[in-house]
Amino acid sequence: MHTVIILLLLCFISAGVYGDDTDVPAPAVLVLHTKTDFEDDLASDSVLGPLTQAHKLLFAQMDQSVNLEFTSLARADRLLQKSQPVCALFRRKTLSRQQAYLFSLPIAFGISHALYQQALSAPIDRRFLNEQGEVMSLSALFDARPHENIVVIANASYGNALDNHIAAINADQKALRYAADVNNSQAKMLAKGRATFALLTPAEEAAHRQQYGPQNFRVYTIEGVPKLAKAHVMCNRQPASRRYIAQINRALEAVYTAPTMHQAYQQTHSESHWGIIRSALQEYSNQARVTSLVEP
């Protein structure tokens, strides 16, 4: 009898100490980013570039503080393998990543990477271009130009189509950049003749031009690469991460329709490019309205 009473008391004490599972606060989600000035820019009162402006508006809609941490792409990928809830910003959704991770709706949009060429190099021969003037095969192009190279961000994905193009290029012709925030350094390498080609978006090239003045680059689009690029929040498959993505999706309709968001795109894109992005904002605004209460 005494033994039974002691066991009941121990059960009661355990329940009092640890409580029901519903009383345990959800673990904080670690949100990783790779932009050196990102957190300072978020505190700015100015209208920012589209990528940062979108996240600034997003975080303002969230009902919890954001546990942000700056890191490299390689370290972010390692942390995403941990059992703690971890998310990474500015990620492309690819077929292989979808099998391993959870994705939010797109946070921001942009025009996809194109092939920028140093002007001192000879123009690309017509035999490597299709009827629309797009480069048909990066590997065939670099096989024919064995002494030239292309800047590539290590550990990054450029989307399914462009990743396949890059994978086929000779390894010794890829100048890998490992720094966390490398977009500006790529254009700088190209401008200084330290690389022959680089993969840049129009927004990245415009930011470089604004800082360093007009640049004499040639630009080629690449066959099979969609015109529109999308940046997502990518999370590991933990319950807290899943809830965090659901919260993001609920907040995104307000981001897509915000006047400052549209202003940010118009300031950094041509009228034709803005038209493509505006259509995407409308499409995903409707989707966010429909799916806002659905778990990812």
Side-chain angles (χ1 to χ4, degrees):
M1 184 66 180
H2 285 82
T3 303
V4 172
I5 292 172
I6 290 170
L7 288 173
L8 288 172
L9 285 171
L10 288 173
C11 290
F12 179 76
I13 291 169
S14 291
V17 172
Y18 295 105
D20 186 78
D21 285 345
T22 58
D23 295 329
V24 178
V29 177
L30 178 62
V31 181
L32 305 170
H33 70 90
T34 54
K35 290 176 68 67
T36 50
D37 297 325
F38 183 61
E39 292 173 60
D40 289 337
D41 288 341
L42 289 177
S44 169
D45 293 330
S46 304
V47 174
L48 306 163
L51 188 64
T52 307
Q53 184 68 28
H55 286 85
K56 180 179 179 179
L57 290 167
L58 173 65
F59 296 151
Q61 295 288 322
M62 307 286 275
D63 60 12
Q64 64 187 62
S65 60
V66 182
N67 186 17
L68 283 174
E69 182 178 316
F70 171 75
T71 189
S72 67
L73 283 168
R75 180 171 177 270
D77 287 342
R78 291 195 298 272
L79 289 173
L80 282 161
Q81 307 305 313
K82 303 293 185 181
S83 58
Q84 71 180 110
V86 179
C87 297
L89 305 183
F90 324 135
R91 292 303 180 104
R92 298 286 186 94
K93 184 191 289 188
T94 64
L95 295 175
S96 60
R97 284 177 173 178
Q98 282 181 269
Q99 296 173 0
Y101 301 106
L102 303 169
F103 284 85
S104 70
L105 292 172
I107 309 299
F109 304 88
I111 302 304
S112 291
H113 288 82
L115 186 66
Y116 282 73
Q117 184 187 22
Q118 221 280 341
L120 295 179
S121 177
I124 294 176
D125 192 277
R126 285 291 308 174
R127 64 195 170 102
F128 297 108
L129 307 177
N130 63 19
E131 292 181 357
Q132 290 73 45
E134 298 176 318
V135 177
M136 293 183 290
S137 168
L138 289 183
S139 61
L141 172 65
F142 283 95
D143 283 344
R145 303 172 78 128
H147 302 297
E148 299 186 351
N149 62 353
I150 181 171
V151 185
V152 177
I153 305 174
N155 306 116
S157 172
Y158 293 83
N160 292 312
L162 197 45
D163 284 350
N164 290 334
H165 274 284
I166 294 168
I169 298 172
N170 298 319
D172 60 358
Q173 290 181 273
K174 289 184 273 194
L176 299 180
R177 299 292 295 167
Y178 289 92
D181 194 4
V182 295
N183 292 327
N184 189 46
S185 65
Q186 290 182 97
K188 194 181 297 184
M189 286 180 68
L190 200 61
K192 292 185 175 182
R194 293 171 55 198
T196 315
F197 293 93
L199 294 166
L200 302 172
T201 67
E204 290 166 359
E205 189 273 336
H208 177 80
R209 187 174 63 248
Q210 184 176 18
Q211 185 172 0
Y212 296 102
Q215 303 295 316
N216 193 14
F217 298 149
R218 299 189 193 95
V219 187
Y220 301 87
T221 54
I222 303 167
E223 186 174 86
V225 176
K227 284 189 177 297
L228 191 69
K230 305 165 193 172
H232 302 258
V233 176
M234 183 179 85
C235 301
N236 58 6
R237 292 183 176 273
Q238 299 297 323
S241 303
R242 187 178 296 274
R243 290 191 294 271
Y244 188 68
I245 283 187
Q247 187 182 15
I248 288 172
N249 288 344
R250 287 194 293 271
L252 277 173
E253 184 185 356
V255 176
Y256 296 146
T257 57
T260 53
M261 192 72 258
H262 291 203
Q263 182 183 350
Y265 284 117
Q266 288 177 289
Q267 288 177 347
T268 53
H269 291 79
S270 68
E271 187 60 35
S272 61
H273 286 168
W274 163 232
I276 295 170
I277 293 170
R278 183 172 51 212
S279 296
L281 288 169
Q282 181 61 55
E283 175 190 345
Y284 280 97
S285 175
N286 295 335
Q287 186 173 337
R289 189 177 305 119
V290 172
T291 64
S292 62
L293 299 179
V294 178
E295 291 283 344

